[in-house]
Amino acid sequence: MSEVETKPVVSESRVRVRYAETDQMGVVYHANYLVWFEIGRVDFIRGLGMDYRSMEREDGLGIAVVDVSARYKAPARYDDELRIETRLVAARGAVIKFGYKVMRNSDDVVLCEGETVHVVVDREMKKRSLPEKYASRFAAVLI
């Protein structure tokens, strides 16, 4: 457990805006932020020493998105390098909540802030509590 306690509470991921992610106005299409939230979430879980693929294949569980919110503050444009900060907001029973901040790396301007709420499900998409081996790691970064 001591290894988990030394991990940062906020993980950081980087992406570069591809041309295909922009709209006719030359700014990032809003739905791409949800993809970047996922990148941050997967990196956060990996940073805790867990692997989402193993959670699915070995433990037969998924983390289904049930709610998303995003507040857009400034536009991102083609070739901007972005930094995604991800943190765990809550983890209790079957519910997990992550928070995100997407910033342009060159000037640290906050472009978008958001949250996702997830429910832990089994292979049949039935709600179940997060197994202790994952719950304890999440609890360690909520303290």
Side-chain angles (χ1 to χ4, degrees), residues 9-15 31-53 55-56 62-69 83-90 95-102 114-120 138 141:
V9 175
V10 176
S11 74
E12 199 173 278
S13 308
R14 295 189 188 247
V15 296
N32 288 302
Y33 287 90
L34 303 183
V35 174
W36 298 334
F37 288 178
E38 180 184 359
I39 290 169
R41 185 169 61 249
V42 169
D43 286 349
F44 181 91
I45 290 170
R46 189 175 290 122
L48 294 180
M50 298 183 285
D51 178 324
Y52 195 80
R53 183 185 309 193
M55 293 169 76
E56 287 180 331
I63 302 174
V65 177
V66 296
D67 190 37
V68 175
S69 67
R83 186 171 70 250
I84 307 153
E85 291 185 355
T86 305
R87 70 190 187 292
L88 185 65
V89 175
V95 179
I96 304 168
K97 186 175 186 179
F98 292 93
Y100 311 90
K101 189 183 293 186
V102 180
E115 294 181 339
T116 56
V117 179
H118 307 259
V119 171
V120 179
F138 282 160
V141 297

Side-chain angles (χ1 to χ4, degrees), residues 64-80:
V65 177
V66 296
D67 190 37
V68 175
S69 67
R71 292 166 298 286
Y72 303 100
K73 299 177 175 270
R77 299 187 185 279
Y78 169 68
D79 209 37
D80 283 349

